[in-house]
Amino acid sequence: MSVLKDLLYAFWQQNFEIFSDFNLSFCVYLFVFVILFLENGLLFAAFLPGDSLLFFIGVLIAKGVLSFPITLGVLTVAVSLGSWISYLQGRLLGNTRLGNNCWFAKFSKYYHHRACLMFRRHGLSALIIGRFVAFIRTLLPIVIAFSGLDSVRFHFFSCISAFLWVFIIVLLGFILGNTAFFQFHEQKLMCCLMLLPIMLLTVGLVFYISAFLFKK
């Protein structure tokens, strides 16, 4: 509980020197790991704000709070594991009554159609393209599992797409965090970046619930 209080204090006061404590930085890694794993691995968690969170992590790296190599390695593993779980869902439940009538069929047909179309057009390279599109990155492994594609090829492309997604988004945040403009308006921009994932989480959750409740 004390670690959580210290984290909230550090972000609220923007006192990033406190992250020299290993326990605090470890908690940040663990929190982001769990969020990205859930977003990429479980359909009901697809609304989680992975992109904005990665961008914010890049800014924290620019502030010296986290390590770029460790972040890249840890979060690539989180995303890859999440995609593997998503793929397993498709293999185990995709052709069953449970899968067709319960969880998958209730999801938005729009995103289902987009994921299927992307896979038909681009094959496994769709994993790289779709990784940068919210909801699609969670659905694609399931769609690919439906096709009966062997897991070795899937995991190879999945790991590549996970690495590229994490690297590019974090790098963009890192670049922004090192600009003179950001440093001049640092306090206001940091507040915006901290609030953005919360706002996107709220919007995504409302949309997600609506997709289920008002599905035709």
Side-chain angles (χ1 to χ4, degrees):
M1 184 61 69
S2 61
V3 174
L4 179 59
K5 290 181 179 178
D6 290 340
L7 279 173
L8 294 174
Y9 171 81
F11 284 118
W12 182 257
Q13 299 294 329
Q14 297 188 26
N15 179 15
F16 299 112
E17 294 180 0
I18 197 172
F19 284 98
S20 58
D21 185 344
F22 172 78
N23 290 330
L24 293 181
S25 58
F26 175 79
C27 286
V28 174
Y29 285 125
L30 180 61
F31 174 77
V32 181
F33 183 98
V34 172
I35 294 296
L36 294 183
F37 171 78
L38 292 175
E39 187 208 6
N40 286 271
L42 301 176
L43 201 57
F44 62 79
F47 61 88
L48 293 174
D51 294 298
S52 59
L53 195 57
L54 283 175
F55 192 83
F56 180 58
I57 290 298
V59 174
L60 291 181
I61 293 174
K63 298 292 297 178
V65 174
L66 303 174
S67 164
F68 202 122
I70 294 176
T71 299
L72 187 59
V74 169
L75 300 189
T76 298
V77 171
V79 175
S80 299
L81 285 176
S83 295
W84 177 63
I85 294 298
S86 183
Y87 177 84
L88 285 180
Q89 290 177 74
R91 291 294 295 267
L92 296 175
L93 299 176
N95 295 318
T96 65
R97 179 174 299 179
L98 176 64
N100 292 328
N101 296 332
C102 294
W103 60 279
F104 189 69
K106 289 183 179 180
F107 198 72
S108 172
K109 290 183 179 180
Y110 170 74
Y111 287 102
H112 182 197
H113 175 72
R114 284 191 64 186
C116 291
L117 185 63
M118 189 176 292
F119 179 59
R120 285 198 298 267
R121 286 183 176 178
H122 304 286
L124 280 173
S125 61
L127 279 171
I128 298 175
I129 302 169
R131 187 71 73 180
F132 293 85
V133 184
F135 291 95
I136 298 297
R137 57 175 161 261
T138 311
L139 274 169
L140 261 177
I142 299 174
V143 171
I144 292 173
F146 286 171
S147 72
L149 188 77
D150 68 277
S151 61
V152 175
R153 293 179 62 199
F154 165 77
H155 290 311
F156 176 75
F157 278 86
S158 178
C159 290
I160 292 176
S161 66
F163 173 83
L164 290 175
W165 181 51
V166 172
F167 176 76
I168 291 173
I169 304 298
V170 169
L171 181 61
L172 290 175
F174 177 79
I175 292 173
L176 175 65
N178 282 299
T179 60
F181 175 80
F182 182 88
Q183 293 171 5
F184 184 76
H185 301 281
E186 182 175 335
Q187 188 171 7
K188 294 180 180 179
L189 290 175
M190 284 298 295
C191 288
C192 291
L193 288 173
M194 286 187 284
L195 291 174
L196 182 60
I198 299 175
M199 294 172 59
L200 292 176
L201 175 63
T202 303
V203 172
L205 183 58
V206 170
F207 169 80
Y208 190 80
I209 294 174
S210 300
F212 274 83
L213 293 180
F214 302 105
K215 173 184 173 292
K216 295 180 180 181

